[in-house]
Amino acid sequence: MLAKLKTFALLGIDASPVEVEVDVSPAGLPKTILVGLPEAAVKESTHRVERAIVNSGFQRPQNRVVINLAPADLPKEAASFDLAIALGILAGSGQFESELLSQYAVVGELALDGTTRPAKGALSMAMAAAEQDGLRGLLVPSDSAAEAAVVEGVETIAVASLAQAVGFLSGQLEIAPTPSRIDDLFRTLAQYDVDFSDVRGQEMAKRALTVAAAGGHNLLMVGPPGSGKTMLAKRVPTILPDLTPAESIETTRIYSAVGRLKPGEPLLAVRPFRAPHHTISNAGLVGGGSTPSPGEISLSHNGVLFLDELPEFNRQTLEVLRQPLEDGTVTISRALSSTTFPANFMLIAALNPCPCGYRGDPRRSCHCTPPQVEKYMSKISGPLVDRIDIHIEVPAVPFRELSGGAPGTSSAEMRRHVMAARAIQAVRFRGMATRHNADMTHRQIRQFCRLDSEGANLLRAAMTEMGLSARAHDKILRTARTIADLDASEHILPAHLNEAINYRMLDRNLWT
């Protein structure tokens, strides 16, 4: 007897439809054959499924069982096919009948006792199910139900065991669809534990971070150890606009695909903050593997990627950031296929001014020679620095500011300025693909960043003295446009341009 069920295979962060065909036919010796390009975890599923069937109170067929996962040329990974295979074997051997097999897709891993385990990529699979004609819903493990239920337009049926799945499909057990609780999840989870008011001093750095957040600019901080660079970077998500439901789902499906969602948090309601260690590999940063999976830059999508101790990173690893910083996506190509992951993040980097870290610090003496400083700074390539809009110095905080009773500027105050500037940009770029000043094209720069004669002379002098590239020229204009937006000014004034030029610290010869 032949049984057919629908399920999904995860490719990167996207789900592709797969049909599970199970044929149970009489044979001399019982044998199970699995075909359809299964990887190791899928091949092993036959042993898990057999014991789950027996331990759930059903009979293992003493026949020849052929399981085909179609399309045959699509690689099948992970253990999420267990539940579909088990239901196919039971239906193919006549142990239950159902008219719902064509209406519901089935996803889930099985334990040996027949209970279900969470499936990676449940959100992507629910999104794919919603796009398929003829599918009413999706059967998922109970632990993945809240995640899949975020997608409206498809019923999410939570099953805790193989027996429950059989009961629902055979009509003997009614299971209500898991409700979508997007609004409740945002109310509960959209909270930050940190605030910029915790940071004493560093008001100039806070101003630069406000500019960066308002225009979506990348930022680099230079300062001695202990000056608060990491503390400042960790608080940047608190001044960015709230995640929209579309952004949240887009980011959550990346975390879901790699199994990084925290228990009890089926949806990301706050902007991600990622801070990888400087020993990270190329594949760890941008993504990779024989079957491509997302890296840190994709996990930072719609959030912040913080690279601390920037010169300690492998130079080749940093160079792979160039294209994603410009495009907002990263494409991983392999011999058989290529996969594109979203990577629209705000880059914040931090470094010391020299190997010992105390160059320019009035309280500590630095013994680094100019060649040592040049060698240290040369680990960061010019083209990468060019792609970072704002460079600022973060000096050590004096004792009087640390011991003072007055709190610093709060996240709420900074966020109010950011939201006002973002509102101006939303009007400016209505109907365009561009969303932030940092993303403006050359044509848009000429349209929205016009300078008067005084501003043009100021920029010409800065380019001549600092030897700026054409890209740095555009970065200054984009940053100046954001500063003007923060002042609610329609035109870029010389004061705005002057501040933007001062944010190109690494373009000057400060290290020798």
Side-chain angles (χ1 to χ4, degrees), residues 287-300:
S290 54
T291 300
S293 62
E296 288 289 341
I297 63 173
S298 295
L299 293 171
S300 309

Side-chain angles (χ1 to χ4, degrees), residues 82-222:
D82 288 7
L83 186 56
I85 291 172
L87 290 169
I89 291 173
L90 293 176
S93 58
Q95 297 187 53
F96 85 97
E97 292 182 0
S98 174
E99 297 178 356
L100 300 178
L101 290 180
S102 61
Q103 300 176 35
Y104 286 88
V106 180
V107 171
E109 179 183 345
L110 287 175
L112 296 183
D113 61 356
T115 56
T116 56
R117 287 185 171 144
K120 287 183 181 179
L123 178 56
S124 293
M125 294 175 185
M127 291 169 71
E131 295 171 0
Q132 283 227 295
D133 294 332
L135 268 187
R136 277 180 57 190
L138 185 70
L139 267 70
V140 296
S142 298
D143 291 342
S144 301
E147 177 189 333
V150 167
V151 180
E152 297 174 349
V154 63
E155 294 180 10
T156 300
I157 307 298
V159 291
S161 65
L162 174 61
Q164 269 193 13
V166 171
F168 173 78
L169 291 172
S170 61
Q172 298 175 1
L173 178 67
E174 285 190 12
I175 302 177
T178 304
S180 175
R181 299 186 300 112
I182 292 183
D183 294 337
D184 293 342
L185 290 170
F186 268 97
R187 276 195 297 271
T188 307
L189 303 175
Q191 297 174 358
Y192 293 97
D193 298 327
V194 293
D195 194 281
F196 267 108
S197 60
D198 304 332
V199 182
R200 298 298 175 93
Q202 304 298 12
E203 292 300 318
M204 295 298 291
K206 289 182 183 180
R207 165 65 179 178
L209 287 166
T210 303
V211 173
H217 302 285
N218 302 318
L219 179 138
L220 185 145
M221 295 183 280
V222 183

Side-chain angles (χ1 to χ4, degrees), residues 212-486:
H217 302 285
N218 302 318
L219 179 138
L220 185 145
M221 295 183 280
V222 183
S227 59
K229 300 185 295 294
T230 303
M231 197 174 182
L232 287 164
K234 284 183 177 179
R235 283 154 178 77
V236 171
T238 66
I239 64 173
L240 293 171
D242 291 334
L243 277 176
T244 64
E247 286 177 333
S248 177
I249 289 173
E250 193 178 22
T251 309
T252 302
R253 65 196 294 248
I254 300 170
Y255 279 73
S256 170
V258 294
R260 296 282 185 91
L261 285 178
K262 296 177 183 177
E265 294 186 13
L267 192 69
L268 284 178
V270 295
R271 295 191 178 271
F273 176 85
R274 305 293 300 178
H277 192 258
H278 57 76
T279 55
I280 192 169
S281 65
N282 294 8
L285 188 63
V286 299
S290 54
T291 300
S293 62
E296 288 289 341
I297 63 173
S298 295
L299 293 171
S300 309
H301 182 58
N302 290 323
V304 175
L305 176 67
F306 178 51
L307 301 182
D308 200 5
E309 306 295 347
L310 191 66
E312 302 301 332
F313 282 79
N314 185 314
R315 178 161 178 157
Q316 185 185 1
T317 303
L318 291 178
E319 292 307 296
V320 298
L321 282 175
R322 288 200 210 171
Q323 177 260 332
L325 280 173
E326 293 285 325
D327 299 344
T329 59
V330 59
T331 301
I332 312 295
S333 296
R334 293 292 178 263
L336 297 178
S337 65
S338 65
T339 306
T340 299
F341 298 122
N344 187 12
F345 58 92
M346 179 178 170
L347 173 66
I348 297 182
L351 70 154
N352 296 329
C354 66
C356 78
Y358 296 104
R359 189 175 184 84
D361 190 339
R363 301 175 303 175
R364 301 283 292 267
S365 58
C366 168
H367 303 291
C368 301
T369 63
Q372 286 177 317
V373 177
E374 283 187 9
K375 182 180 178 182
Y376 179 74
M377 295 303 296
S378 68
K379 294 179 181 178
I380 312 165
S381 71
L384 180 63
V385 172
D386 241 10
R387 284 169 167 81
I388 299 176
D389 307 19
I390 299 175
H391 316 151
I392 60 167
E393 187 175 4
V394 183
V397 184
F399 175 76
R400 68 177 181 277
E401 292 187 9
L402 284 174
S403 58
T409 307
S410 68
S411 292
E413 189 176 341
M414 295 168 68
R415 192 168 181 272
R416 190 167 62 251
H417 295 303
V418 169
M419 294 301 292
R422 290 281 181 112
I424 292 172
Q425 292 168 62
V427 173
R428 177 181 299 133
F429 302 125
R430 184 175 292 144
M432 304 181 191
T434 304
R435 292 190 301 168
H436 311 128
N437 288 335
D439 305 328
M440 279 193 287
T441 63
H442 299 295
R443 182 178 299 172
Q444 289 168 337
I445 289 172
R446 289 195 297 271
Q447 180 181 354
F448 299 122
C449 302
R450 294 195 178 105
L451 302 176
D452 57 19
S453 58
E454 186 182 350
N457 290 335
L458 185 62
L459 184 56
R460 185 184 302 112
M463 289 200 67
T464 304
E465 290 175 14
M466 297 164 65
L468 298 179
S469 66
R471 181 184 284 116
H473 168 274
D474 287 355
K475 295 284 187 189
I476 287 175
L477 288 176
R478 291 184 182 112
T479 306
R481 180 67 267 170
T482 301
I483 296 168
D485 290 345
L486 284 167

